[in-house]
Amino acid sequence: MRLLDAAASDLATHLARNGRVPWGRALVDDVREAGLTGRGGAGFPVWRKLSAVAEGSAPVVVANGAEGEPASAKDHTLLVRAPHLVLDGLQLAAEAVRATTAVVYVPEGLAAQAVRAALAERAGWDALPVAVVVAPDYFVAGQESAVVAAVEGRQALPSDRLTLTVRSGVHGRPTLVQNVETLAHVAQIARYGPEWFRQCGTAEEPGTFLATVSGSVRRGGVYEVPHGVPLGELLAQAGGPAGELRAVLVGGYHGTWVPAADARIPLSRKALGSLGAGVLVALDAAECGLAVASEVLTYLARQSARQCGPCLNGLPALARAMSDVVSGARPEQVARLADLVERRGACHHPDGAARFARSSLAVFGDEIACHLRGGCAARRTR
């Protein structure tokens, strides 16, 4: 059963739908054959991280449920609706790497309550006790190095790590940090096998992913779809556009804009470069794309860790430059600053902001031309 079909908030229903944890599987082999990649945004092959962590001594495994981006709700939905599926995957990953510590990292609220209730039901049943660490509610708190810092009891801020977390993470121990959706997929691959997992998706990107759809659609929410599904088909599942669309933001605030005319484009990394954490925001034609881009970049600048030059100085300057474009300035300064901050930060936050800024300039070229003339291509502005 796929994730949302298998969802059950209580242990009895979960066991009736999914059965017990399938201990003793050759999990690394299964995950490699399944082609599972991380669902937190980076899309890294999961089996590689499992293999690397398993080589170390006394590993730590962390289920990362920090969901700091305002447009994303899929991790929250999964933890509330299917906490046992995530915990099954966490236990199986811990067994595969011979971990001695397991942690769920989740924001306080309904998701944390669901996890704690599920852990209480599983008391004495799991192979490894699980601790809950509260994730702060800000954008960069879910980055891998920030997760390590939080589990160690420090402030959840990303850092420029010279050693890979899989080699030296929490208190110097090899650490597996996996998104909660990824771990839920691990649980079902262990139950049903890699061939079952590959029945959905594409040959290059098998399986399903959880997509959070919001903006100008009739039924915003979280949907589970195969990799490679056309953009328009996912929008149709969300009830279709609520009006004429200008573009769709794919991949969230670190993502890229897809013009509404490209509704047939497949939702895959091969086609789009990245799906991020599966966030899609539909922009109505009545909205000014440049104004929205300015708001997002202002938000990203405020949400930075402020630990390196690109975040401390570059992102605020980038946000001001986009605001100037909204006011009628030429866009060259935005492009120049995007080049300056990219690949120079202590984490990937500046890279995501630069990608979003460039995409905004590319897709909203008609808006730029109108703003240079003192007008706006949208029927109204924000």
Side-chain angles (χ1 to χ4, degrees), residues 5 22 25 40 43 70 91 132 195 201 242 244 251 267 292 307 341 373:
D5 290 336
R25 297 279 305 190
Q91 291 289 328
V132 176
E195 294 81 7
E244 182 184 354
L267 292 174
V292 173
Q307 296 181 129
V341 302
R373 296 193 298 268

Side-chain angles (χ1 to χ4, degrees), residues 328-355:
R330 297 194 61 81
E332 286 79 7
Q333 180 72 346
V334 173
R336 187 182 74 84
L337 288 168
D339 289 341
L340 285 175
V341 302
E342 192 172 40
R343 294 188 298 274
R344 289 180 170 87
C347 68
H348 296 300
H349 186 51
D351 301 344
R355 178 168 52 247

Side-chain angles (χ1 to χ4, degrees), residues 228-310:
V229 66
L231 171 60
E233 186 174 321
L234 176 53
L235 295 178
Q237 288 193 39
E244 182 184 354
L245 295 187
R246 176 177 296 276
V248 179
L249 179 61
V250 178
Y253 287 7
H254 278 177
T256 56
W257 293 100
V258 175
D262 294 342
R264 293 183 179 179
I265 193 168
L267 292 174
S268 67
R269 290 182 178 87
K270 182 178 181 180
L272 295 168
S274 174
L275 293 176
V279 174
L280 289 88
V281 183
L283 181 68
D284 193 275
E287 300 287 337
C288 174
L290 293 178
V292 173
S294 176
E295 290 178 3
V296 170
L297 288 171
T298 298
Y299 169 84
L300 293 177
R302 291 173 178 166
Q303 288 289 309
S304 78
R306 303 179 186 277
Q307 296 181 129
C308 64

